[in-house]
């Protein structure tokens, strides 16, 4: 169990390092676009970042909603998965059901 926690910490650190590199890349793109007189590149990058951020938030909420339906609801209480008759369907279909609820 301790090894799992350590590997989780290592993965978080690696993600943070990757985010730092991405922010440097973003700064480089914005500076080069401004120097070349192409502000539309900066706009495209900003729109793309916003879209990716929205998709990530939707994914996190979808995973959280699935987790609440599976683990937090007592066994005697019907959860959203049972209400949608999605207990025996493939995992990606359950994911789509979760996404629909957020």
């Amino acid at each position: 169990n301790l090894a799992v926690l350590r590997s989780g910490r290592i993965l978080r650190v690696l993600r943070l390092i990757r985010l730092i590199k991405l922010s440097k890349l973003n700064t480089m793109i914005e500076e080069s676009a401004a120097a070349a007189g192409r502000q539309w590149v900066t706009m495209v990058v900003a729109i793309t970042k916003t879209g990716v951020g929205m998709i990530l938030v939707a994914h996190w909420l979808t995973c959280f909603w699935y987790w609440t339906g599976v683990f937090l609801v007592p066994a005697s209480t019907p959860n959203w998965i049972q209400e949608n008759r999605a207990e025996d369907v493939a995992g990606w279909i359950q994911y789509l059901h979760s996404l629909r609820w957020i």
Side-chain angles (χ1 to χ4, degrees):
N1 199 8
L2 187 60
V4 172
L5 290 175
R6 285 185 183 169
S7 62
R9 286 183 188 159
I10 291 171
L11 286 175
R12 275 187 264 152
V13 168
L14 290 175
R15 276 191 246 152
L16 285 174
I17 292 170
R18 186 173 51 185
L19 285 175
I20 291 169
K21 287 181 182 178
L22 282 177
S23 69
K24 288 180 183 178
L25 176 66
N26 185 32
T27 305
M28 259 181 26
I29 290 173
E30 286 179 1
E31 288 175 359
S32 64
R38 296 196 171 136
Q39 285 79 18
W40 64 270
V41 173
T42 304
M43 184 65 74
V44 169
V45 169
I47 291 171
T48 303
K49 280 176 30 181
T50 302
V52 168
M54 290 171 62
I55 290 170
L56 282 174
V57 169
H59 172 72
W60 291 333
L61 289 172
T62 300
C63 291
F64 177 74
W65 186 248
Y66 178 76
W67 180 75
T68 57
V70 172
F71 296 111
L72 288 184
V73 178
S76 60
T77 308
N79 59 22
W80 69 266
I81 297 171
Q82 295 165 345
E83 292 290 327
N84 287 305
R85 297 181 202 98
E87 302 129 326
D88 299 325
V89 297
W92 66 274
I93 294 176
Q94 288 180 348
Y95 180 84
L96 291 177
H97 278 292
S98 256
L99 184 62
R100 183 187 70 175
W101 281 95
I102 59 155

